[in-house]
Structures are given as structure tokens and as C-alpha cells.
Amino acid sequence: MASAWLLPEHIADVLPSQARRIEELRRDLLDMARTYGCELVMPPMLEHLDSLLSGTGQALDLMTFKLVDQLSGRSLGLRADTTPQVARIDAHLLNREGVTRLCYCGPVLHTRAEGLTATREPLQFGVEIYGHAGLEADLEVQELALDALHRAGLTDFTLDLGDARLVRGVLGDHRLSEERLAVLVEAMGAKDAGGVASFAGELPASVIDGLQTLLGLYGDVGLLAQARERLPRHPLITAALDDLDWLVRHLRATHPELRIGLDLADLPGYAYYSGVRFALYAQGCSDAVLRGGRYDEVGAVFGRRRPAVGFSLDLKTLVGLIPATQLRAAVRAPWGVAPDLRAAVRRLREQGETVVCVLPGHEHENDEFECDRELVNTSGQWVLRAL
């Protein structure tokens, strides 16, 4: 039993200091989402596999832990992403006609870590807006995402924009199998010109040229004009570039300090997103802190296709990027059963104070909390005294 305390790889306990910071941030972000009109939902950790993976593509399937329900014999999954569950709630349980703003925060489980230092048990916070197809919803979600990082304490980050419709527009009427499309998307994201060229036997030369052009379209927002000149004429491409231009203009009007970059060939979640996608990167981080975008098809598998846009982030990752907040100093008090002492301790706690009662025999131990005051009896009255 020497190793009984060991946990699986990329799974870790969250100890008091970090747990406090995560919980404070969780409350803060949910309260902020409420100010935008978002309603909190709490989907279950476990669902039937066919519901959990409906319309999400192969990537989420590979990330999902699977098991068999001993009651029904059906395959179940431990959620690896909460968005499909929220889409099910919007489509079937709420079933509203107008705009619905929902938020959530809970753990998800991944079969594999997404990086060497990543956890397989992220604490996912997210926001979804259903029912509005216009760019107003995209802008609101991006504003909320920016506010979330500001609220967490990050000040130096970059917004990266792209659009899933660009590759679809370049491909036009030419179709690839799901497996080959996944290979193409990976090559595009890796800026692998050779990998794209390997599709020459499956796609016309004009399509290969368009895909190769996309590979070079990354940088600042000035490349939108280049994209209009260099990419083929197609309604999807025009709509995507118009939408990106509109969002950039409005974001810059309210966030002039924000760095905005574009990568028109980067396609994370290609099978998932239907329009503009975005990511926020913190200074010095190679991976995105937050990802989101438009996914209008997410509810179709539940029998109700609704416009949808949202984002999610991992609170555990986010907490590791922000400066530690100082814990409010506590009050040290003696332990006792005297009614007046117990009443004094209760009053302080009702006022929001942390009161640490020193149990008998532990008077000389270090305090778990940093205490700057103590509760003492002076002339028959319990009063606070600075330490």
C-alpha cells in the first residue's frame, strides 16, 4: 500500500490556498455573467453517450471516458465538454423562442491531457447565448470573455480571430471524407504547406492554391484587405471577412488597448464551429486561456437548430496565471463553552469575519490563517485586540 496515496497522471488534489482562489474566482465570474443576464445551469457529470457526443465530432469522442450503465446496459460518458449538454437543455428543457443566455461552471474529465502540464480534470466555466444569429451576440460574448479575464486580474492578453467558413468557402462544392478533412485541418493549423499540397490528387489545383493562400494569412488586422484580394470569390468567404471586419471595428472602439490578431488558417474545433471563432492568449502562454465562437449546428441533433455562440475556459489554468490574492486576516479566539464567548464569536462570524478558535492543547501551534487580531476578555467584555 506504499503507493495508495498516488493519483492518476495529470490528476491532482487542489490544496487550500489554490482552492480558495479558484472558488473566489468561480463566484466572481458567475456573478459577472449574471450582470449580462446569464442564467446558471448545472448539467449532470454523466450522460448517455449518444446524447453527450451528438454533433461534436471525433475529437471530443476521443477525449471522453466511457462506461456501461449497470441499470440499463447503455453506454454512458463522463462529460469532456459542457456545451453539448447546455445545448440539450436549451433545446428540450427550456424550449424558449427568444434569446436565452446561460452560464455554467463545473468539472469535466479528459482521457488525455492537452499538454504536458495540463490537468485531465479542468474546472470549466462557460457562457452560451442561444437564439440570435446576428453579430450582436458574437460581440456580446467576446465582450463578456474580455471582462472575465479582466475580472480575474489579467491585463496583458491578445485576442485571436478566425472563421470556419473560410476553408469551407475555399473548398466550395468539393467534399472530403471526415478522416481526410481532419488531416487537412491539422495541416492547415500547423501551417504545413507540404501536407496541404498532398491533397493535389483529391482537390482541384484552384482549391489547393486557395488553401495555400490561407496558410499565409495570419498577423494583424490589416491582412483582412489582403484576404479580400487574394482569396477566391465565394459567398461564405465574403460573409466571413465582413463579419471579422465588423467585430474588429467594434472591439477596437471599446477596447483600444486590445491587441487583435488574425489567423485565417487556424481551425481548432472545425467540425464544431460554424462561423467566427476566437481565442484569448495571455502574455507568455503558448496555449489559449479561453476559446469560443459561433456553433449554430450544436442543437440540431436534439431536434431544434438554434443560433448559438459562446466560450469556455478552465478556472484551474486561469488561476495559475494571475497574481495570488492576499487572504483577509482572521481573528484568533480562545476555545470555550461560556455563552458570552460563544455569542461574541458568532457575532463576528455574522459580520463576515473569519474566527479561528484555538482548541485546547494547541495554543503554541502556528495559525492556519494569518491572524491580526485576537478576541480577549477585558473587564467582563469580549473585545478585539490587535496582535
Side-chain angles (χ1 to χ4, degrees):
M1 296 295 291
S3 62
W5 57 272
L6 291 176
L7 293 173
E9 291 184 55
H10 297 279
I11 298 291
D13 294 304
V14 181
L15 300 181
S17 178
Q18 187 183 22
R20 172 181 60 83
R21 296 172 64 201
I22 290 173
E23 176 60 15
E24 289 174 350
L25 183 57
R26 184 193 70 85
R27 296 178 193 176
D28 208 12
L29 293 186
L30 288 175
D31 287 345
M32 184 205 67
R34 180 72 180 180
T35 68
Y36 277 77
C38 296
E39 300 171 276
L40 178 65
V41 292
M42 296 180 179
M45 192 72 197
L46 190 70
E47 278 203 40
H48 291 127
L49 196 60
D50 50 1
S51 171
L52 203 59
L53 298 180
S54 297
T56 59
Q58 184 181 17
L60 195 62
D61 187 6
L62 295 175
M63 292 290 282
T64 301
F65 280 99
K66 304 172 180 70
L67 61 156
V68 175
D69 185 1
Q70 295 188 23
L71 296 180
S72 67
R74 295 181 62 181
S75 295
L76 304 179
L78 296 170
R79 66 173 179 225
D81 182 30
T82 313
T83 294
Q85 298 181 293
V86 179
R88 174 182 54 74
I89 289 172
D90 173 73
H92 276 283
L93 300 182
L94 297 179
N95 197 27
R96 297 170 180 169
E97 291 299 326
V99 172
T100 300
R101 295 174 173 87
L102 301 175
C103 63
Y104 57 86
C105 188
V108 295
L109 287 172
H110 294 165
T111 55
R112 298 180 181 181
E114 296 184 331
L116 292 176
T117 60
T119 177
R120 289 197 290 163
E121 189 189 13
L123 183 59
Q124 191 179 56
F125 167 80
V127 168
E128 322 275 345
I129 299 180
Y130 294 92
H132 186 72
L135 286 174
E136 297 85 357
D138 297 71
L139 182 61
E140 181 173 313
V141 159
Q142 291 178 25
E143 293 275 7
L144 206 161
L146 292 169
D147 282 353
L149 296 195
H150 278 299
R151 185 70 67 94
L154 285 181
T155 57
D156 193 7
F157 44 83
T158 300
L159 175 66
D160 180 74
L161 293 169
D163 198 300
R165 291 170 293 181
L166 292 169
V167 166
R168 295 186 180 114
V170 171
L171 289 173
D173 296 330
H174 304 284
R175 296 286 179 264
L176 293 170
S177 67
E178 184 176 336
E179 292 77 13
R180 292 297 289 160
L181 182 59
V183 172
L184 176 62
V185 167
E186 184 176 356
M188 296 290 290
K191 304 293 184 289
D192 181 3
V196 173
S198 69
F199 284 80
E202 302 171 65
L203 298 170
S206 59
V207 172
I208 298 296
D209 289 343
L211 294 172
Q212 298 282 15
T213 298
L214 271 179
L215 290 183
L217 291 173
Y218 61 91
D220 62 32
V221 296
L223 63 81
L224 282 174
Q226 299 177 39
R228 292 185 190 277
E229 294 176 1
R230 298 173 58 191
L231 290 175
R233 299 288 181 266
H234 191 282
L236 286 177
I237 294 175
T238 301
L241 296 178
D242 287 347
D243 288 356
L244 289 170
D245 183 64
W246 188 92
L247 288 167
V248 166
R249 285 189 287 109
H250 284 79
L251 285 167
R252 282 195 156 172
T254 51
H255 300 275
E257 79 293 346
L258 178 64
R259 291 193 301 272
I260 302 177
L262 297 169
D263 190 342
L264 303 188
D266 192 22
L267 302 165
Y270 176 81
Y272 192 63
Y273 292 119
S274 61
V276 174
R277 62 104 195 124
F278 65 94
L280 282 161
Y281 291 83
Q283 185 69 23
C285 291
S286 59
D287 198 12
V289 180
L290 176 156
R291 292 188 183 275
R294 180 164 286 278
Y295 31 84
D296 288 343
E297 300 296 330
V298 70
V301 293
F302 301 113
R304 192 163 183 247
R305 185 185 182 278
R306 291 251 286 167
V309 60
F311 73 84
S312 66
L313 59 84
D314 174 24
L315 286 185
K316 292 181 180 178
T317 298
L318 183 55
V319 160
L321 299 174
I322 59 179
T325 54
Q326 187 172 2
L327 181 64
R328 182 182 177 185
V331 174
R332 187 169 64 200
W335 186 89
V337 294
D340 58 340
L341 171 59
R342 297 173 71 86
V345 169
R346 185 166 57 252
R347 280 196 303 272
L348 288 171
R349 288 173 175 162
E350 288 172 351
Q351 294 167 11
E353 297 283 2
T354 298
V355 182
V356 181
C357 290
V358 180
L359 296 174
H362 297 270
E363 290 80 5
H364 301 293
E365 294 180 5
N366 292 328
D367 293 322
E368 296 179 37
F369 287 79
E370 182 180 348
C371 297
D372 66 348
R373 292 153 295 162
E374 63 178 342
L375 189 62
V376 296
N377 192 302
T378 302
S379 301
Q381 299 292 322
W382 289 100
V383 296
L384 290 179
R385 182 176 68 188
L387 287 171

Short mmCIF file of all heavy atoms in Angstrom, two decimals, residues 264-311:
data_model
loop_
_atom_site.label_atom_id
_atom_site.label_comp_id
_atom_site.label_asym_id
_atom_site.label_seq_id
_atom_site.Cartn_x
_atom_site.Cartn_y
_atom_site.Cartn_z
N LEU A 264 -6.23 33.03 -40.28
CA LEU A 264 -7.36 32.56 -41.08
C LEU A 264 -7.25 31.09 -41.46
O LEU A 264 -8.18 30.54 -42.04
CB LEU A 264 -7.51 33.43 -42.34
CG LEU A 264 -7.67 34.93 -42.06
CD1 LEU A 264 -8.01 35.66 -43.36
CD2 LEU A 264 -8.74 35.19 -41.01
N ALA A 265 -6.12 30.46 -41.15
CA ALA A 265 -5.96 29.03 -41.44
C ALA A 265 -6.05 28.17 -40.19
O ALA A 265 -6.09 26.94 -40.28
CB ALA A 265 -4.62 28.78 -42.14
N ASP A 266 -6.07 28.79 -39.01
CA ASP A 266 -6.13 28.04 -37.75
C ASP A 266 -7.57 27.60 -37.51
O ASP A 266 -8.48 28.43 -37.46
CB ASP A 266 -5.63 28.90 -36.60
CG ASP A 266 -5.41 28.09 -35.34
OD1 ASP A 266 -5.22 26.86 -35.46
OD2 ASP A 266 -5.42 28.68 -34.24
N LEU A 267 -7.78 26.30 -37.36
CA LEU A 267 -9.15 25.77 -37.35
C LEU A 267 -9.42 24.82 -36.18
O LEU A 267 -9.94 23.72 -36.38
CB LEU A 267 -9.42 25.03 -38.67
CG LEU A 267 -9.25 25.87 -39.94
CD1 LEU A 267 -9.18 24.97 -41.15
CD2 LEU A 267 -10.37 26.86 -40.07
N PRO A 268 -9.08 25.19 -34.94
CA PRO A 268 -9.42 24.29 -33.83
C PRO A 268 -10.94 24.13 -33.73
O PRO A 268 -11.69 25.10 -33.85
CB PRO A 268 -8.86 25.03 -32.61
CG PRO A 268 -8.82 26.47 -33.01
CD PRO A 268 -8.52 26.47 -34.48
N GLY A 269 -11.40 22.91 -33.55
CA GLY A 269 -12.84 22.67 -33.47
C GLY A 269 -13.56 22.90 -34.77
O GLY A 269 -14.73 23.32 -34.78
N TYR A 270 -12.91 22.62 -35.92
CA TYR A 270 -13.51 22.90 -37.23
C TYR A 270 -14.88 22.23 -37.39
O TYR A 270 -15.81 22.83 -37.92
CB TYR A 270 -12.57 22.42 -38.34
CG TYR A 270 -13.13 22.57 -39.73
CD1 TYR A 270 -13.08 23.80 -40.38
CD2 TYR A 270 -13.72 21.50 -40.40
CE1 TYR A 270 -13.60 23.95 -41.66
CE2 TYR A 270 -14.24 21.64 -41.67
CZ TYR A 270 -14.17 22.86 -42.29
OH TYR A 270 -14.69 23.00 -43.56
N ALA A 271 -14.99 20.99 -36.90
CA ALA A 271 -16.27 20.27 -37.05
C ALA A 271 -17.36 20.86 -36.17
O ALA A 271 -18.54 20.55 -36.32
CB ALA A 271 -16.07 18.79 -36.70
N TYR A 272 -16.97 21.73 -35.27
CA TYR A 272 -17.86 22.26 -34.25
C TYR A 272 -18.34 23.67 -34.59
O TYR A 272 -19.52 23.98 -34.52
CB TYR A 272 -17.05 22.25 -32.94
CG TYR A 272 -17.81 22.49 -31.69
CD1 TYR A 272 -18.80 21.62 -31.27
CD2 TYR A 272 -17.49 23.57 -30.86
CE1 TYR A 272 -19.47 21.82 -30.08
CE2 TYR A 272 -18.15 23.78 -29.67
CZ TYR A 272 -19.14 22.91 -29.29
OH TYR A 272 -19.80 23.11 -28.11
N TYR A 273 -17.41 24.54 -34.97
CA TYR A 273 -17.74 25.93 -35.23
C TYR A 273 -18.37 26.11 -36.61
O TYR A 273 -17.98 25.45 -37.57
CB TYR A 273 -16.50 26.82 -35.11
CG TYR A 273 -15.98 26.92 -33.70
CD1 TYR A 273 -14.70 26.48 -33.37
CD2 TYR A 273 -16.77 27.45 -32.69
CE1 TYR A 273 -14.23 26.57 -32.07
CE2 TYR A 273 -16.30 27.55 -31.39
CZ TYR A 273 -15.05 27.10 -31.09
OH TYR A 273 -14.58 27.18 -29.80
N SER A 274 -19.31 27.05 -36.69
CA SER A 274 -19.99 27.33 -37.96
C SER A 274 -19.68 28.73 -38.48
O SER A 274 -20.09 29.06 -39.58
CB SER A 274 -21.51 27.19 -37.77
OG SER A 274 -21.98 28.11 -36.79
N GLY A 275 -18.98 29.54 -37.70
CA GLY A 275 -18.69 30.90 -38.12
C GLY A 275 -17.45 31.43 -37.43
O GLY A 275 -16.44 30.73 -37.35
N VAL A 276 -17.53 32.66 -36.93
CA VAL A 276 -16.39 33.29 -36.27
C VAL A 276 -15.98 32.47 -35.05
O VAL A 276 -16.82 32.03 -34.27
CB VAL A 276 -16.74 34.73 -35.85
CG1 VAL A 276 -15.60 35.34 -35.02
CG2 VAL A 276 -17.02 35.59 -37.08
N ARG A 277 -14.69 32.25 -34.90
CA ARG A 277 -14.16 31.64 -33.68
C ARG A 277 -13.10 32.58 -33.12
O ARG A 277 -12.50 33.38 -33.83
CB ARG A 277 -13.60 30.26 -33.94
CG ARG A 277 -12.42 30.23 -34.91
CD ARG A 277 -11.10 30.03 -34.19
NE ARG A 277 -9.96 30.33 -35.03
CZ ARG A 277 -9.03 31.21 -34.70
NH1 ARG A 277 -9.10 31.89 -33.59
NH2 ARG A 277 -8.00 31.43 -35.50
N PHE A 278 -12.86 32.50 -31.81
CA PHE A 278 -11.88 33.39 -31.20
C PHE A 278 -11.16 32.69 -30.05
O PHE A 278 -11.65 31.68 -29.52
CB PHE A 278 -12.54 34.69 -30.69
CG PHE A 278 -13.53 34.51 -29.58
CD1 PHE A 278 -13.15 34.64 -28.25
CD2 PHE A 278 -14.86 34.21 -29.85
CE1 PHE A 278 -14.07 34.48 -27.22
CE2 PHE A 278 -15.79 34.06 -28.83
CZ PHE A 278 -15.39 34.20 -27.50
N ALA A 279 -10.02 33.21 -29.71
CA ALA A 279 -9.22 32.69 -28.59
C ALA A 279 -8.52 33.86 -27.93
O ALA A 279 -8.16 34.84 -28.60
CB ALA A 279 -8.22 31.65 -29.07
N LEU A 280 -8.31 33.78 -26.64
CA LEU A 280 -7.58 34.79 -25.89
C LEU A 280 -6.31 34.16 -25.32
O LEU A 280 -6.36 33.12 -24.66
CB LEU A 280 -8.44 35.36 -24.77
CG LEU A 280 -9.48 36.41 -25.24
CD1 LEU A 280 -10.57 36.59 -24.21
CD2 LEU A 280 -8.80 37.74 -25.54
N TYR A 281 -5.19 34.82 -25.59
CA TYR A 281 -3.88 34.34 -25.15
C TYR A 281 -3.30 35.31 -24.13
O TYR A 281 -3.29 36.52 -24.37
CB TYR A 281 -2.92 34.21 -26.33
CG TYR A 281 -3.26 33.11 -27.29
CD1 TYR A 281 -4.22 33.29 -28.29
CD2 TYR A 281 -2.64 31.87 -27.20
CE1 TYR A 281 -4.54 32.28 -29.18
CE2 TYR A 281 -2.94 30.85 -28.09
CZ TYR A 281 -3.90 31.06 -29.07
OH TYR A 281 -4.22 30.05 -29.94
N ALA A 282 -2.81 34.80 -23.03
CA ALA A 282 -2.13 35.62 -22.03
C ALA A 282 -0.66 35.76 -22.40
O ALA A 282 -0.10 34.90 -23.10
CB ALA A 282 -2.28 35.01 -20.65
N GLN A 283 -0.06 36.83 -21.93
CA GLN A 283 1.35 37.07 -22.20
C GLN A 283 2.19 35.91 -21.69
O GLN A 283 2.08 35.49 -20.55
CB GLN A 283 1.79 38.37 -21.52
CG GLN A 283 3.21 38.80 -21.83
CD GLN A 283 3.39 39.24 -23.27
OE1 GLN A 283 2.42 39.63 -23.91
NE2 GLN A 283 4.59 39.17 -23.77
N GLY A 284 3.04 35.36 -22.58
CA GLY A 284 3.94 34.28 -22.19
C GLY A 284 3.34 32.89 -22.24
O GLY A 284 4.03 31.92 -21.95
N CYS A 285 2.06 32.77 -22.62
CA CYS A 285 1.41 31.45 -22.69
C CYS A 285 1.32 31.00 -24.15
O CYS A 285 0.88 31.75 -25.01
CB CYS A 285 0.01 31.50 -22.09
SG CYS A 285 0.01 31.71 -20.31
N SER A 286 1.72 29.77 -24.41
CA SER A 286 1.69 29.25 -25.78
C SER A 286 0.30 28.76 -26.16
O SER A 286 -0.02 28.68 -27.35
CB SER A 286 2.69 28.11 -25.93
OG SER A 286 2.40 27.06 -25.02
N ASP A 287 -0.53 28.43 -25.18
CA ASP A 287 -1.87 27.95 -25.47
C ASP A 287 -2.90 28.98 -25.01
O ASP A 287 -2.63 29.80 -24.14
CB ASP A 287 -2.13 26.61 -24.79
CG ASP A 287 -3.31 25.87 -25.41
OD1 ASP A 287 -3.77 26.29 -26.50
OD2 ASP A 287 -3.78 24.89 -24.81
N ALA A 288 -4.07 28.91 -25.61
CA ALA A 288 -5.12 29.88 -25.30
C ALA A 288 -5.64 29.68 -23.89
O ALA A 288 -5.78 28.54 -23.41
CB ALA A 288 -6.25 29.76 -26.30
N VAL A 289 -5.95 30.77 -23.22
CA VAL A 289 -6.59 30.73 -21.90
C VAL A 289 -8.08 30.49 -22.05
O VAL A 289 -8.72 29.89 -21.19
CB VAL A 289 -6.34 32.05 -21.15
CG1 VAL A 289 -7.00 32.03 -19.77
CG2 VAL A 289 -4.86 32.34 -21.03
N LEU A 290 -8.64 30.93 -23.15
CA LEU A 290 -10.09 30.91 -23.37
C LEU A 290 -10.35 30.72 -24.85
O LEU A 290 -9.63 31.29 -25.69
CB LEU A 290 -10.67 32.23 -22.87
CG LEU A 290 -12.15 32.58 -23.01
CD1 LEU A 290 -12.54 33.60 -21.94
CD2 LEU A 290 -12.47 33.14 -24.39
N ARG A 291 -11.35 29.91 -25.20
CA ARG A 291 -11.74 29.71 -26.61
C ARG A 291 -13.25 29.81 -26.75
O ARG A 291 -13.99 29.43 -25.83
CB ARG A 291 -11.26 28.36 -27.13
CG ARG A 291 -9.76 28.21 -27.27
CD ARG A 291 -9.39 26.91 -27.97
NE ARG A 291 -7.96 26.72 -28.04
CZ ARG A 291 -7.18 27.24 -28.99
NH1 ARG A 291 -7.72 27.96 -29.97
NH2 ARG A 291 -5.88 27.03 -28.98
N GLY A 292 -13.68 30.28 -27.89
CA GLY A 292 -15.12 30.36 -28.13
C GLY A 292 -15.41 30.66 -29.59
O GLY A 292 -14.52 30.71 -30.43
N GLY A 293 -16.69 30.85 -29.87
CA GLY A 293 -17.10 31.15 -31.24
C GLY A 293 -18.56 30.80 -31.46
O GLY A 293 -19.32 30.54 -30.53
N ARG A 294 -18.92 30.79 -32.73
CA ARG A 294 -20.30 30.51 -33.12
C ARG A 294 -20.43 29.07 -33.57
O ARG A 294 -19.61 28.56 -34.36
CB ARG A 294 -20.75 31.46 -34.24
CG ARG A 294 -22.19 31.22 -34.70
CD ARG A 294 -22.75 32.37 -35.50
NE ARG A 294 -23.07 33.51 -34.65
CZ ARG A 294 -24.20 33.64 -33.96
NH1 ARG A 294 -25.11 32.66 -33.98
NH2 ARG A 294 -24.43 34.71 -33.24
N TYR A 295 -21.47 28.38 -33.06
CA TYR A 295 -21.71 26.97 -33.40
C TYR A 295 -23.22 26.75 -33.54
O TYR A 295 -23.86 26.13 -32.70
CB TYR A 295 -21.10 26.03 -32.34
CG TYR A 295 -21.05 26.58 -30.94
CD1 TYR A 295 -22.14 26.49 -30.10
CD2 TYR A 295 -19.90 27.19 -30.48
CE1 TYR A 295 -22.10 27.00 -28.81
CE2 TYR A 295 -19.84 27.69 -29.18
CZ TYR A 295 -20.94 27.59 -28.35
OH TYR A 295 -20.89 28.09 -27.08
N ASP A 296 -23.75 27.22 -34.65
CA ASP A 296 -25.20 27.21 -34.86
C ASP A 296 -25.78 25.81 -35.04
O ASP A 296 -27.00 25.64 -34.94
CB ASP A 296 -25.55 28.05 -36.10
CG ASP A 296 -25.38 29.54 -35.84
OD1 ASP A 296 -25.30 29.93 -34.67
OD2 ASP A 296 -25.30 30.30 -36.83
N GLU A 297 -24.95 24.81 -35.30
CA GLU A 297 -25.47 23.46 -35.53
C GLU A 297 -25.53 22.62 -34.27
O GLU A 297 -25.99 21.48 -34.30
CB GLU A 297 -24.60 22.73 -36.56
CG GLU A 297 -24.53 23.40 -37.92
CD GLU A 297 -25.88 23.44 -38.61
OE1 GLU A 297 -26.70 22.52 -38.38
OE2 GLU A 297 -26.12 24.39 -39.38
N VAL A 298 -25.08 23.17 -33.13
CA VAL A 298 -24.90 22.34 -31.94
C VAL A 298 -26.22 21.77 -31.43
O VAL A 298 -26.25 20.67 -30.85
CB VAL A 298 -24.19 23.15 -30.82
CG1 VAL A 298 -25.09 24.23 -30.26
CG2 VAL A 298 -23.68 22.23 -29.72
N GLY A 299 -27.33 22.45 -31.64
CA GLY A 299 -28.60 21.94 -31.15
C GLY A 299 -29.39 21.13 -32.15
O GLY A 299 -30.44 20.56 -31.82
N ALA A 300 -28.89 21.04 -33.41
CA ALA A 300 -29.64 20.36 -34.46
C ALA A 300 -29.90 18.90 -34.13
O ALA A 300 -30.97 18.36 -34.41
CB ALA A 300 -28.90 20.49 -35.79
N VAL A 301 -28.91 18.24 -33.50
CA VAL A 301 -29.06 16.81 -33.21
C VAL A 301 -30.11 16.58 -32.13
O VAL A 301 -30.56 15.45 -31.95
CB VAL A 301 -27.71 16.21 -32.77
CG1 VAL A 301 -26.73 16.20 -33.91
CG2 VAL A 301 -27.15 16.97 -31.58
N PHE A 302 -30.49 17.62 -31.41
CA PHE A 302 -31.53 17.49 -30.40
C PHE A 302 -32.89 17.91 -30.96
O PHE A 302 -33.86 18.10 -30.22
CB PHE A 302 -31.19 18.34 -29.18
CG PHE A 302 -29.88 17.97 -28.54
CD1 PHE A 302 -28.80 18.84 -28.57
CD2 PHE A 302 -29.72 16.73 -27.93
CE1 PHE A 302 -27.59 18.50 -27.99
CE2 PHE A 302 -28.52 16.37 -27.35
CZ PHE A 302 -27.45 17.26 -27.38
N GLY A 303 -32.95 18.06 -32.29
CA GLY A 303 -34.22 18.34 -32.94
C GLY A 303 -34.61 19.80 -32.99
O GLY A 303 -35.72 20.14 -33.37
N ARG A 304 -33.67 20.70 -32.60
CA ARG A 304 -34.00 22.12 -32.59
C ARG A 304 -32.75 22.94 -32.89
O ARG A 304 -31.97 23.26 -32.01
CB ARG A 304 -34.58 22.51 -31.23
CG ARG A 304 -35.22 23.90 -31.23
CD ARG A 304 -36.11 24.04 -30.01
NE ARG A 304 -36.78 25.33 -30.04
CZ ARG A 304 -36.54 26.31 -29.16
NH1 ARG A 304 -35.67 26.12 -28.20
NH2 ARG A 304 -37.17 27.46 -29.23
N ARG A 305 -32.57 23.27 -34.15
CA ARG A 305 -31.40 24.05 -34.55
C ARG A 305 -31.62 25.50 -34.12
O ARG A 305 -32.57 26.15 -34.53
CB ARG A 305 -31.20 23.98 -36.06
CG ARG A 305 -29.94 24.68 -36.54
CD ARG A 305 -29.87 24.67 -38.05
NE ARG A 305 -28.65 25.29 -38.53
CZ ARG A 305 -28.46 26.60 -38.65
NH1 ARG A 305 -29.44 27.44 -38.32
NH2 ARG A 305 -27.32 27.08 -39.10
N ARG A 306 -30.71 25.99 -33.27
CA ARG A 306 -30.81 27.36 -32.76
C ARG A 306 -29.47 28.07 -32.95
O ARG A 306 -28.41 27.47 -32.73
CB ARG A 306 -31.12 27.34 -31.26
CG ARG A 306 -32.50 26.84 -30.92
CD ARG A 306 -33.38 27.97 -30.43
NE ARG A 306 -33.03 28.39 -29.08
CZ ARG A 306 -33.48 29.51 -28.53
NH1 ARG A 306 -34.25 30.31 -29.23
NH2 ARG A 306 -33.16 29.82 -27.29
N PRO A 307 -29.48 29.34 -33.37
CA PRO A 307 -28.22 30.07 -33.39
C PRO A 307 -27.57 30.02 -32.01
O PRO A 307 -28.25 30.15 -30.99
CB PRO A 307 -28.64 31.50 -33.74
CG PRO A 307 -29.97 31.35 -34.42
CD PRO A 307 -30.63 30.17 -33.78
N ALA A 308 -26.26 29.82 -31.97
CA ALA A 308 -25.58 29.67 -30.69
C ALA A 308 -24.17 30.22 -30.79
O ALA A 308 -23.48 30.03 -31.80
CB ALA A 308 -25.53 28.20 -30.26
N VAL A 309 -23.74 30.90 -29.73
CA VAL A 309 -22.38 31.42 -29.65
C VAL A 309 -21.97 31.43 -28.18
O VAL A 309 -22.80 31.65 -27.30
CB VAL A 309 -22.29 32.84 -30.28
CG1 VAL A 309 -23.20 33.82 -29.57
CG2 VAL A 309 -20.86 33.35 -30.29
N GLY A 310 -20.71 31.14 -27.90
CA GLY A 310 -20.28 31.10 -26.51
C GLY A 310 -18.79 30.90 -26.38
O GLY A 310 -18.04 30.94 -27.37
N PHE A 311 -18.33 30.70 -25.15
CA PHE A 311 -16.92 30.45 -24.88
C PHE A 311 -16.80 29.62 -23.61
O PHE A 311 -17.75 29.50 -22.83
CB PHE A 311 -16.13 31.76 -24.74
CG PHE A 311 -16.38 32.51 -23.45
CD1 PHE A 311 -15.69 32.18 -22.28
CD2 PHE A 311 -17.31 33.52 -23.41
CE1 PHE A 311 -15.93 32.87 -21.10
CE2 PHE A 311 -17.56 34.22 -22.22
CZ PHE A 311 -16.87 33.89 -21.07
#
